PDB file of all heavy atoms in Angstrom:
ATOM      1  N   LEU A   2     -14.911 -26.376 -13.192  1.00 96.00           N
ATOM      2  CA  LEU A   2     -14.612 -24.974 -13.011  1.00 96.00           C
ATOM      3  C   LEU A   2     -15.605 -24.083 -13.731  1.00 96.00           C
ATOM      4  O   LEU A   2     -16.002 -23.012 -13.234  1.00 96.00           O
ATOM      5  CB  LEU A   2     -13.212 -24.651 -13.459  1.00 96.00           C
ATOM      6  CG  LEU A   2     -12.035 -25.251 -12.694  1.00 96.00           C
ATOM      7  CD1 LEU A   2     -10.721 -25.140 -13.426  1.00 96.00           C
ATOM      8  CD2 LEU A   2     -11.913 -24.605 -11.289  1.00 96.00           C
ATOM      9  N   PHE A   3     -16.064 -24.531 -14.844  1.00 96.00           N
ATOM     10  CA  PHE A   3     -17.078 -23.821 -15.617  1.00 96.00           C
ATOM     11  C   PHE A   3     -18.438 -23.713 -14.847  1.00 96.00           C
ATOM     12  O   PHE A   3     -19.134 -22.720 -14.883  1.00 96.00           O
ATOM     13  CB  PHE A   3     -17.270 -24.367 -17.006  1.00 96.00           C
ATOM     14  CG  PHE A   3     -18.405 -23.693 -17.740  1.00 96.00           C
ATOM     15  CD1 PHE A   3     -18.315 -22.338 -18.048  1.00 96.00           C
ATOM     16  CD2 PHE A   3     -19.488 -24.423 -18.167  1.00 96.00           C
ATOM     17  CE1 PHE A   3     -19.409 -21.724 -18.767  1.00 96.00           C
ATOM     18  CE2 PHE A   3     -20.503 -23.837 -18.891  1.00 96.00           C
ATOM     19  CZ  PHE A   3     -20.453 -22.479 -19.158  1.00 96.00           C
ATOM     20  N   ILE A   4     -18.706 -24.754 -14.146  1.00 96.00           N
ATOM     21  CA  ILE A   4     -19.977 -24.803 -13.312  1.00 96.00           C
ATOM     22  C   ILE A   4     -19.847 -23.706 -12.277  1.00 96.00           C
ATOM     23  O   ILE A   4     -20.862 -22.983 -12.011  1.00 96.00           O
ATOM     24  CB  ILE A   4     -20.181 -26.221 -12.692  1.00 96.00           C
ATOM     25  CG1 ILE A   4     -20.524 -27.219 -13.736  1.00 96.00           C
ATOM     26  CG2 ILE A   4     -21.271 -26.111 -11.607  1.00 96.00           C
ATOM     27  CD1 ILE A   4     -20.561 -28.618 -13.195  1.00 96.00           C
ATOM     28  N   GLY A   5     -18.707 -23.570 -11.642  1.00 95.00           N
ATOM     29  CA  GLY A   5     -18.491 -22.485 -10.721  1.00 95.00           C
ATOM     30  C   GLY A   5     -18.685 -21.110 -11.379  1.00 95.00           C
ATOM     31  O   GLY A   5     -19.337 -20.238 -10.755  1.00 95.00           O
ATOM     32  N   ALA A   6     -18.157 -20.943 -12.580  1.00 95.00           N
ATOM     33  CA  ALA A   6     -18.313 -19.693 -13.308  1.00 95.00           C
ATOM     34  C   ALA A   6     -19.791 -19.450 -13.678  1.00 95.00           C
ATOM     35  O   ALA A   6     -20.188 -18.299 -13.678  1.00 95.00           O
ATOM     36  CB  ALA A   6     -17.441 -19.697 -14.558  1.00 95.00           C
ATOM     37  N   MET A   7     -20.545 -20.487 -13.957  1.00 95.00           N
ATOM     38  CA  MET A   7     -21.929 -20.328 -14.289  1.00 95.00           C
ATOM     39  C   MET A   7     -22.706 -19.702 -13.108  1.00 95.00           C
ATOM     40  O   MET A   7     -23.631 -18.847 -13.327  1.00 95.00           O
ATOM     41  CB  MET A   7     -22.575 -21.656 -14.617  1.00 95.00           C
ATOM     42  CG  MET A   7     -22.181 -22.298 -15.961  1.00 95.00           C
ATOM     43  SD  MET A   7     -22.733 -23.969 -16.154  1.00 95.00           S
ATOM     44  CE  MET A   7     -24.563 -23.722 -16.116  1.00 95.00           C
ATOM     45  N   GLY A   8     -22.363 -20.093 -11.926  1.00 94.00           N
ATOM     46  CA  GLY A   8     -23.037 -19.531 -10.715  1.00 94.00           C
ATOM     47  C   GLY A   8     -22.763 -18.105 -10.530  1.00 94.00           C
ATOM     48  O   GLY A   8     -23.700 -17.270 -10.446  1.00 94.00           O
ATOM     49  N   LYS A   9     -21.495 -17.703 -10.579  1.00 93.00           N
ATOM     50  CA  LYS A   9     -21.151 -16.325 -10.309  1.00 93.00           C
ATOM     51  C   LYS A   9     -21.643 -15.410 -11.472  1.00 93.00           C
ATOM     52  O   LYS A   9     -22.020 -14.243 -11.211  1.00 93.00           O
ATOM     53  CB  LYS A   9     -19.613 -16.185 -10.167  1.00 93.00           C
ATOM     54  CG  LYS A   9     -19.107 -16.453  -8.811  1.00 93.00           C
ATOM     55  CD  LYS A   9     -19.432 -15.364  -7.797  1.00 93.00           C
ATOM     56  CE  LYS A   9     -18.713 -15.557  -6.450  1.00 93.00           C
ATOM     57  NZ  LYS A   9     -19.309 -16.667  -5.696  1.00 93.00           N
ATOM     58  N   SER A  10     -21.554 -15.881 -12.689  1.00 93.00           N
ATOM     59  CA  SER A  10     -21.878 -15.052 -13.791  1.00 93.00           C
ATOM     60  C   SER A  10     -23.315 -15.269 -14.321  1.00 93.00           C
ATOM     61  O   SER A  10     -23.662 -14.996 -15.463  1.00 93.00           O
ATOM     62  CB  SER A  10     -20.900 -15.183 -14.957  1.00 93.00           C
ATOM     63  OG  SER A  10     -19.687 -14.604 -14.662  1.00 93.00           O
ATOM     64  N   ALA A  11     -24.144 -15.897 -13.443  1.00 90.00           N
ATOM     65  CA  ALA A  11     -25.583 -16.074 -13.697  1.00 90.00           C
ATOM     66  C   ALA A  11     -25.924 -16.646 -15.042  1.00 90.00           C
ATOM     67  O   ALA A  11     -26.695 -16.121 -15.805  1.00 90.00           O
ATOM     68  CB  ALA A  11     -26.268 -14.677 -13.515  1.00 90.00           C
ATOM     69  N   GLN A  12     -25.290 -17.794 -15.384  1.00 94.00           N
ATOM     70  CA  GLN A  12     -25.634 -18.484 -16.623  1.00 94.00           C
ATOM     71  C   GLN A  12     -26.755 -19.455 -16.360  1.00 94.00           C
ATOM     72  O   GLN A  12     -26.814 -20.110 -15.288  1.00 94.00           O
ATOM     73  CB  GLN A  12     -24.370 -19.197 -17.137  1.00 94.00           C
ATOM     74  CG  GLN A  12     -23.253 -18.273 -17.432  1.00 94.00           C
ATOM     75  CD  GLN A  12     -23.502 -17.286 -18.538  1.00 94.00           C
ATOM     76  OE1 GLN A  12     -23.789 -17.654 -19.701  1.00 94.00           O
ATOM     77  NE2 GLN A  12     -23.527 -15.979 -18.244  1.00 94.00           N
ATOM     78  N   PHE A  13     -27.593 -19.724 -17.361  1.00 92.00           N
ATOM     79  CA  PHE A  13     -28.630 -20.678 -17.263  1.00 92.00           C
ATOM     80  C   PHE A  13     -28.095 -22.056 -16.972  1.00 92.00           C
ATOM     81  O   PHE A  13     -27.094 -22.464 -17.553  1.00 92.00           O
ATOM     82  CB  PHE A  13     -29.438 -20.673 -18.630  1.00 92.00           C
ATOM     83  CG  PHE A  13     -30.483 -21.780 -18.681  1.00 92.00           C
ATOM     84  CD1 PHE A  13     -31.759 -21.514 -18.182  1.00 92.00           C
ATOM     85  CD2 PHE A  13     -30.199 -23.002 -19.250  1.00 92.00           C
ATOM     86  CE1 PHE A  13     -32.706 -22.478 -18.244  1.00 92.00           C
ATOM     87  CE2 PHE A  13     -31.195 -24.006 -19.278  1.00 92.00           C
ATOM     88  CZ  PHE A  13     -32.450 -23.746 -18.790  1.00 92.00           C
ATOM     89  N   PRO A  14     -28.668 -22.803 -16.034  1.00 92.00           N
ATOM     90  CA  PRO A  14     -29.864 -22.530 -15.235  1.00 92.00           C
ATOM     91  C   PRO A  14     -29.614 -21.887 -13.865  1.00 92.00           C
ATOM     92  O   PRO A  14     -30.520 -21.869 -13.028  1.00 92.00           O
ATOM     93  CB  PRO A  14     -30.453 -23.947 -15.080  1.00 92.00           C
ATOM     94  CG  PRO A  14     -29.283 -24.801 -14.962  1.00 92.00           C
ATOM     95  CD  PRO A  14     -28.198 -24.228 -15.825  1.00 92.00           C
ATOM     96  N   LEU A  15     -28.377 -21.389 -13.610  1.00 92.00           N
ATOM     97  CA  LEU A  15     -28.016 -20.804 -12.336  1.00 92.00           C
ATOM     98  C   LEU A  15     -28.167 -19.272 -12.334  1.00 92.00           C
ATOM     99  O   LEU A  15     -27.512 -18.653 -11.561  1.00 92.00           O
ATOM    100  CB  LEU A  15     -26.612 -21.229 -11.981  1.00 92.00           C
ATOM    101  CG  LEU A  15     -26.396 -22.792 -11.790  1.00 92.00           C
ATOM    102  CD1 LEU A  15     -24.933 -23.075 -11.519  1.00 92.00           C
ATOM    103  CD2 LEU A  15     -27.275 -23.305 -10.669  1.00 92.00           C
ATOM    104  N   HIS A  16     -29.015 -18.809 -13.204  1.00 91.00           N
ATOM    105  CA  HIS A  16     -29.162 -17.370 -13.367  1.00 91.00           C
ATOM    106  C   HIS A  16     -30.221 -16.770 -12.394  1.00 91.00           C
ATOM    107  O   HIS A  16     -30.376 -15.580 -12.258  1.00 91.00           O
ATOM    108  CB  HIS A  16     -29.650 -17.023 -14.774  1.00 91.00           C
ATOM    109  CG  HIS A  16     -31.038 -17.514 -15.081  1.00 91.00           C
ATOM    110  ND1 HIS A  16     -31.254 -18.866 -15.261  1.00 91.00           N
ATOM    111  CD2 HIS A  16     -32.221 -16.909 -15.153  1.00 91.00           C
ATOM    112  CE1 HIS A  16     -32.545 -19.076 -15.461  1.00 91.00           C
ATOM    113  NE2 HIS A  16     -33.132 -17.898 -15.397  1.00 91.00           N
ATOM    114  N   VAL A  17     -30.910 -17.634 -11.657  1.00 91.00           N
ATOM    115  CA  VAL A  17     -32.124 -17.227 -10.968  1.00 91.00           C
ATOM    116  C   VAL A  17     -31.904 -16.228  -9.813  1.00 91.00           C
ATOM    117  O   VAL A  17     -32.787 -15.558  -9.406  1.00 91.00           O
ATOM    118  CB  VAL A  17     -32.910 -18.466 -10.418  1.00 91.00           C
ATOM    119  CG1 VAL A  17     -33.412 -19.258 -11.517  1.00 91.00           C
ATOM    120  CG2 VAL A  17     -31.953 -19.299  -9.557  1.00 91.00           C
ATOM    121  N   TRP A  18     -30.684 -16.190  -9.282  1.00 92.00           N
ATOM    122  CA  TRP A  18     -30.382 -15.295  -8.191  1.00 92.00           C
ATOM    123  C   TRP A  18     -30.214 -13.864  -8.575  1.00 92.00           C
ATOM    124  O   TRP A  18     -30.564 -12.956  -7.794  1.00 92.00           O
ATOM    125  CB  TRP A  18     -29.067 -15.734  -7.430  1.00 92.00           C
ATOM    126  CG  TRP A  18     -27.864 -15.615  -8.229  1.00 92.00           C
ATOM    127  CD1 TRP A  18     -27.270 -16.493  -9.113  1.00 92.00           C
ATOM    128  CD2 TRP A  18     -27.008 -14.443  -8.298  1.00 92.00           C
ATOM    129  NE1 TRP A  18     -26.141 -16.034  -9.627  1.00 92.00           N
ATOM    130  CE2 TRP A  18     -25.905 -14.749  -9.184  1.00 92.00           C
ATOM    131  CE3 TRP A  18     -27.041 -13.187  -7.659  1.00 92.00           C
ATOM    132  CZ2 TRP A  18     -24.903 -13.839  -9.441  1.00 92.00           C
ATOM    133  CZ3 TRP A  18     -25.994 -12.298  -7.941  1.00 92.00           C
ATOM    134  CH2 TRP A  18     -24.975 -12.637  -8.811  1.00 92.00           C
ATOM    135  N   LEU A  19     -29.762 -13.615  -9.827  1.00 91.00           N
ATOM    136  CA  LEU A  19     -29.367 -12.242 -10.169  1.00 91.00           C
ATOM    137  C   LEU A  19     -30.558 -11.212 -10.237  1.00 91.00           C
ATOM    138  O   LEU A  19     -30.423 -10.140  -9.733  1.00 91.00           O
ATOM    139  CB  LEU A  19     -28.575 -12.242 -11.474  1.00 91.00           C
ATOM    140  CG  LEU A  19     -27.995 -10.889 -11.940  1.00 91.00           C
ATOM    141  CD1 LEU A  19     -27.070 -10.401 -10.841  1.00 91.00           C
ATOM    142  CD2 LEU A  19     -27.206 -11.093 -13.237  1.00 91.00           C
ATOM    143  N   PRO A  20     -31.662 -11.603 -10.856  1.00 89.00           N
ATOM    144  CA  PRO A  20     -32.777 -10.597 -10.877  1.00 89.00           C
ATOM    145  C   PRO A  20     -33.286 -10.288  -9.510  1.00 89.00           C
ATOM    146  O   PRO A  20     -33.636  -9.106  -9.259  1.00 89.00           O
ATOM    147  CB  PRO A  20     -33.864 -11.372 -11.698  1.00 89.00           C
ATOM    148  CG  PRO A  20     -33.152 -12.327 -12.558  1.00 89.00           C
ATOM    149  CD  PRO A  20     -31.964 -12.758 -11.705  1.00 89.00           C
ATOM    150  N   ASP A  21     -33.216 -11.190  -8.583  1.00 88.00           N
ATOM    151  CA  ASP A  21     -33.693 -10.925  -7.182  1.00 88.00           C
ATOM    152  C   ASP A  21     -32.705 -10.062  -6.437  1.00 88.00           C
ATOM    153  O   ASP A  21     -33.063  -9.408  -5.408  1.00 88.00           O
ATOM    154  CB  ASP A  21     -33.960 -12.184  -6.412  1.00 88.00           C
ATOM    155  CG  ASP A  21     -35.246 -12.864  -6.910  1.00 88.00           C
ATOM    156  OD1 ASP A  21     -36.037 -12.287  -7.716  1.00 88.00           O
ATOM    157  OD2 ASP A  21     -35.421 -14.063  -6.561  1.00 88.00           O
ATOM    158  N   ALA A  22     -31.438 -10.064  -6.858  1.00 86.00           N
ATOM    159  CA  ALA A  22     -30.393  -9.286  -6.181  1.00 86.00           C
ATOM    160  C   ALA A  22     -30.688  -7.828  -6.256  1.00 86.00           C
ATOM    161  O   ALA A  22     -30.081  -7.050  -5.449  1.00 86.00           O
ATOM    162  CB  ALA A  22     -29.017  -9.658  -6.789  1.00 86.00           C
ATOM    163  N   MET A  23     -31.554  -7.379  -7.177  1.00 81.00           N
ATOM    164  CA  MET A  23     -31.783  -5.964  -7.260  1.00 81.00           C
ATOM    165  C   MET A  23     -32.602  -5.485  -6.056  1.00 81.00           C
ATOM    166  O   MET A  23     -32.881  -4.228  -5.959  1.00 81.00           O
ATOM    167  CB  MET A  23     -32.483  -5.629  -8.594  1.00 81.00           C
ATOM    168  CG  MET A  23     -33.832  -6.281  -8.759  1.00 81.00           C
ATOM    169  SD  MET A  23     -35.168  -5.259  -8.203  1.00 81.00           S
ATOM    170  CE  MET A  23     -36.520  -6.447  -7.935  1.00 81.00           C
ATOM    171  N   GLU A  24     -33.021  -6.331  -5.171  1.00 81.00           N
ATOM    172  CA  GLU A  24     -33.689  -5.943  -3.928  1.00 81.00           C
ATOM    173  C   GLU A  24     -32.780  -5.127  -3.016  1.00 81.00           C
ATOM    174  O   GLU A  24     -33.265  -4.375  -2.179  1.00 81.00           O
ATOM    175  CB  GLU A  24     -34.187  -7.201  -3.165  1.00 81.00           C
ATOM    176  CG  GLU A  24     -35.278  -7.955  -3.816  1.00 81.00           C
ATOM    177  CD  GLU A  24     -36.635  -7.160  -3.843  1.00 81.00           C
ATOM    178  OE1 GLU A  24     -36.773  -6.222  -3.078  1.00 81.00           O
ATOM    179  OE2 GLU A  24     -37.523  -7.547  -4.632  1.00 81.00           O
ATOM    180  N   GLY A  25     -31.475  -5.286  -3.162  1.00 81.00           N
ATOM    181  CA  GLY A  25     -30.549  -4.500  -2.451  1.00 81.00           C
ATOM    182  C   GLY A  25     -30.562  -3.036  -2.846  1.00 81.00           C
ATOM    183  O   GLY A  25     -31.187  -2.669  -3.833  1.00 81.00           O
ATOM    184  N   PRO A  26     -29.818  -2.180  -2.116  1.00 84.00           N
ATOM    185  CA  PRO A  26     -29.781  -0.753  -2.446  1.00 84.00           C
ATOM    186  C   PRO A  26     -29.218  -0.581  -3.864  1.00 84.00           C
ATOM    187  O   PRO A  26     -28.414  -1.354  -4.299  1.00 84.00           O
ATOM    188  CB  PRO A  26     -28.783  -0.174  -1.451  1.00 84.00           C
ATOM    189  CG  PRO A  26     -28.811  -1.105  -0.259  1.00 84.00           C
ATOM    190  CD  PRO A  26     -29.086  -2.456  -0.865  1.00 84.00           C
ATOM    191  N   THR A  27     -29.716   0.480  -4.582  1.00 85.00           N
ATOM    192  CA  THR A  27     -29.303   0.632  -5.973  1.00 85.00           C
ATOM    193  C   THR A  27     -27.773   0.729  -6.178  1.00 85.00           C
ATOM    194  O   THR A  27     -27.298   0.129  -7.185  1.00 85.00           O
ATOM    195  CB  THR A  27     -29.978   1.932  -6.504  1.00 85.00           C
ATOM    196  OG1 THR A  27     -31.415   1.756  -6.487  1.00 85.00           O
ATOM    197  CG2 THR A  27     -29.541   2.195  -7.956  1.00 85.00           C
ATOM    198  N   PRO A  28     -26.988   1.364  -5.325  1.00 88.00           N
ATOM    199  CA  PRO A  28     -25.521   1.341  -5.562  1.00 88.00           C
ATOM    200  C   PRO A  28     -24.974  -0.098  -5.591  1.00 88.00           C
ATOM    201  O   PRO A  28     -24.064  -0.353  -6.312  1.00 88.00           O
ATOM    202  CB  PRO A  28     -24.972   2.114  -4.394  1.00 88.00           C
ATOM    203  CG  PRO A  28     -26.081   3.014  -3.983  1.00 88.00           C
ATOM    204  CD  PRO A  28     -27.369   2.257  -4.207  1.00 88.00           C
TER     205      PRO A  28
END
């Protein structure tokens, strides 16, 4: 369950998606 939480809350090493998510509209 913690592995699942690591993905959603961008914990190392599954953090890589979050910085790129800023490509979306600012809101």
Side-chain angles (χ1 to χ4, degrees):
L2 292 169
F3 175 61
I4 291 172
M7 286 173 64
K9 276 290 187 286
S10 289
Q12 299 297 296
F13 175 84
L15 298 175
H16 67 286
V17 292
W18 67 270
L19 187 56
D21 288 348
M23 62 90 201
E24 292 289 345
T27 298

